[in-house]
Amino acid sequence: MSRIARTFAGLKAQGRKALIPYVTAGFPFPDITPELMHAFVAGGADVIELGVPFSDPSADGPVIQKAGDKALAAGIGMVQVLDMVRTFRTRDASTPVVLMGYANPVERYNQKHDRHDGKSAFVLDAAAAGVDGVLIVDYPPEECETFAAELKSAGLDLIFLLAPTSTDERMQQVARVASGYVYYVSLKGVTGSGALDTGAVEAMLPRIRAHVQVPVGVGFGIRDAATARTIGQVADAVVIGSKIIQLIDEQPRDQVGPVAQNFLREIRTALDN
């Protein structure tokens, strides 16, 4: 059983929902990410999504785009992201970490670190660093069964996005290769856009669960404790990204961790009550 699966199983046994914060690696300071990840855990995070900076993030709105641009300007790439996870693991061996990003950095990493034995350098190095799952926005399920098998053999989960526009056929395709959890994008649009329609989310989840056996997390548009509580009543996990990025942007370095921790503690309390 993967670390992600164990985490969700433990939460289910307690009747609790997972809190999954997202942050772009290397933001807002290039070397702060492991420290910030520990602050997330102290605030009640169950799983951490770590964004891999990319120059053309098609699913991300302006808030996360800006964070990615800042991280890229500071020289943050896949090598540095894996180093951050490795550093985090020296003090935390239990909190699952999911890398969220795009195909280009993964494929570029494999090109630059070609092992000449047909095995994915990214998969092996991610597993060695302590990564638990990967969400590649632009890897459709029908084209990455080999990648899914490589991840599974290394003990990593492959996580997919589903959207309000996802058909039953798409859900079935995702169900064949997904593990860990699926991430339901609650809005039509990019991260941080629009107002969340909680009723529409509640109506969609039974459709997803008819096809997908792994837990369902919901993100895009969750910005406060009240919305998180509402979504937590129907989903297995709540994912929060853009709001965290906004809160820690422009903070002095010594306040980044405390600000994120205090915000997540509010969300954790709302989910648990």
Side-chain angles (χ1 to χ4, degrees), residues 63-84:
V63 171
I64 294 180
Q65 284 185 22
K66 178 184 173 184
D69 289 345
K70 188 172 183 178
L72 288 170
I76 304 301
M78 187 67 79
V79 170
Q80 290 74 29
V81 173
L82 295 181
D83 282 343
M84 293 169 187

Side-chain angles (χ1 to χ4, degrees), residues 46-58:
D46 300 295
V47 179
I48 295 171
E49 285 187 357
L50 195 57
V52 179
F54 180 50
S55 57
D56 188 22
S58 56

Side-chain angles (χ1 to χ4, degrees), residues 77-97:
M78 187 67 79
V79 170
Q80 290 74 29
V81 173
L82 295 181
D83 282 343
M84 293 169 187
V85 177
R86 199 174 290 111
T87 300
F88 174 72
R89 285 283 172 240
T90 63
R91 288 175 47 199
D92 189 316
S94 60
T95 305
V97 175

Side-chain angles (χ1 to χ4, degrees), residues 7 86 92 166 202 210 217 247 259-260 271:
T7 296
R86 199 174 290 111
D92 189 316
S166 295
E202 186 172 357
L247 286 171
V259 165
L271 288 174

Side-chain angles (χ1 to χ4, degrees), residues 24-39:
T24 303
F27 178 85
F29 300 98
D31 59 347
I32 202 171
T33 301
E35 174 188 332
L36 181 56
M37 294 166 73
H38 289 302

Side-chain angles (χ1 to χ4, degrees), residues 11 31 42 53 68 72 101 105 111 120 139 158 189 222 247 250 254 262:
L11 288 167
D31 59 347
L72 288 170
Q111 290 171 353
S120 168
Y139 269 175
L158 182 56
I222 299 172
L247 286 171
E250 306 300 337
D254 64 350
N262 289 338

